[in-house]
Amino acid sequence: YWDVVPFSQYETTKELFQQFQSDKLLILLISSILLICASTNIIALLFILVKEKKHEIALLKTLGASTKQIALTFCIVGLSLSLLGLLSGSCLAYISLDNIPALLKFCSLFFGQELMQPTLITQGSVFPMSLFALKLVFFITPLFALCATLVPALSASRIQPAKLLRS
């Protein structure tokens, strides 16, 4: 008499899951661009530091510092900058993920319209931080920073003190 066709939960919310998947890819793309920008900033900062400290580097070389020691110094500076950014960014991400309802309310007041339906917002951690993503970030960021510091560190270690101190 009645023709009942059962639907799975996936079939009824298929479009929503596809939207979430495309949002994941968009967030991955944006975070990759941010990581490249941060690496570029580290390179630029270290090149400026090398340019400003040329005379001090030449003086260190005349006092007996090896090229490895000078390159290692600049690598440590770049890695410490990236680790500082990594730790502060991770703390801010954890705090913001824990307070998404309050952030959404603040943004709704700022933009003058509701950003998300109140039924979707719950108290507590709406989006738990993925341990895999955290491990990946803690592995990739220092790796990118190390690659970004190599070029300025090598240029600092190749400074010839005799030519520089003469001028």
Side-chain angles (χ1 to χ4, degrees):
Y1 183 79
W2 295 95
D3 190 21
V4 177
V5 180
F7 287 103
S8 69
Q9 186 175 5
Y10 178 75
E11 290 174 350
T12 58
T13 58
K14 183 178 180 180
E15 292 82 15
L16 187 63
F17 284 125
Q18 288 174 344
Q19 180 66 37
F20 286 157
Q21 187 63 30
S22 66
D23 287 349
K24 278 184 176 181
L25 291 175
L26 182 65
I27 289 173
L28 178 67
L29 177 69
I30 290 171
S31 60
S32 299
I33 291 171
L34 285 174
L35 187 61
I36 291 170
C37 287
S39 298
T40 307
N41 283 339
I42 290 174
I43 291 171
L45 179 77
L46 287 177
F47 269 126
I48 291 170
L49 188 65
V50 167
K51 196 165 200 89
E52 287 180 356
K53 302 290 182 184
K54 275 185 181 179
H55 293 288
E56 288 85 354
I57 294 169
L59 191 60
L60 284 173
K61 279 197 154 190
T62 57
L63 290 174
S66 69
T67 57
K68 285 183 182 180
Q69 290 173 330
I70 292 173
L72 184 65
T73 301
F74 281 93
C75 283
I76 289 172
V77 168
L79 282 174
S80 63
L81 283 173
S82 71
L83 289 177
L84 180 69
L86 175 68
L87 291 176
S88 62
S90 297
C91 289
L92 283 173
Y94 182 76
I95 290 169
S96 63
L97 283 176
D98 235 14
N99 298 310
I100 283 186
L103 288 173
L104 285 174
K105 285 180 185 176
F106 174 74
C107 291
S108 295
L109 291 173
F110 183 72
F111 289 115
Q113 66 180 3
E114 195 171 308
L115 296 179
M116 194 177 246
Q117 295 177 359
T119 57
L120 297 176
I121 302 172
T122 59
Q123 289 300 326
S125 183
V126 178
F127 303 102
M129 189 176 280
S130 167
L131 190 60
F132 172 73
L134 197 61
K135 286 179 183 177
L136 192 65
V137 166
F138 271 86
F139 175 73
I140 289 179
T141 302
L143 190 66
F144 264 84
L146 183 63
C147 292
T149 58
L150 286 178
V151 176
L154 291 176
S155 72
S157 66
R158 290 184 181 149
I159 290 177
Q160 296 178 355
K163 289 182 181 178
L164 190 64
L165 293 176
R166 261 190 249 147
S167 59

